[in-house]
Amino acid sequence: MEKWKEFMAEEDGVGVVEVILILVVLIGLVLIFKEQLTVLVNNIFKTITTESQRV
């Protein structure tokens, strides 16, 4: 019975589960907004290229 109480009180795996859930949410958001993110990144790189040529 004491081992069962120790097992239930142990929280080592909780952090791993939280990290996995956060990663799943982030990957889902990336998949949903993939096209918008691609356009945004391309615009940022175009701006960087244009501004770096001015210098």
Side-chain angles (χ1 to χ4, degrees), residues 23-42:
L23 287 174
V24 167
V25 169
L26 288 176
I27 291 170
L29 288 173
V30 167
L31 292 174
I32 291 170
F33 297 108
K34 182 180 177 183
E35 187 175 329
Q36 291 91 340
L37 289 172
T38 303
V39 171
L40 177 65
V41 170
N42 285 335

Side-chain angles (χ1 to χ4, degrees), residues 4-54:
W4 176 255
K5 289 180 183 178
E6 289 176 17
F7 175 74
M8 293 303 288
E10 192 172 317
E11 296 181 359
D12 292 341
V14 174
V16 174
V17 172
E18 290 173 354
V19 170
I20 291 172
L21 288 174
I22 290 170
L23 287 174
V24 167
V25 169
L26 288 176
I27 291 170
L29 288 173
V30 167
L31 292 174
I32 291 170
F33 297 108
K34 182 180 177 183
E35 187 175 329
Q36 291 91 340
L37 289 172
T38 303
V39 171
L40 177 65
V41 170
N42 285 335
N43 288 338
I44 290 171
F45 280 124
K46 285 178 188 175
T47 304
I48 290 171
T49 303
T50 305
E51 294 296 323
S52 66
Q53 290 174 355
R54 284 185 17 182

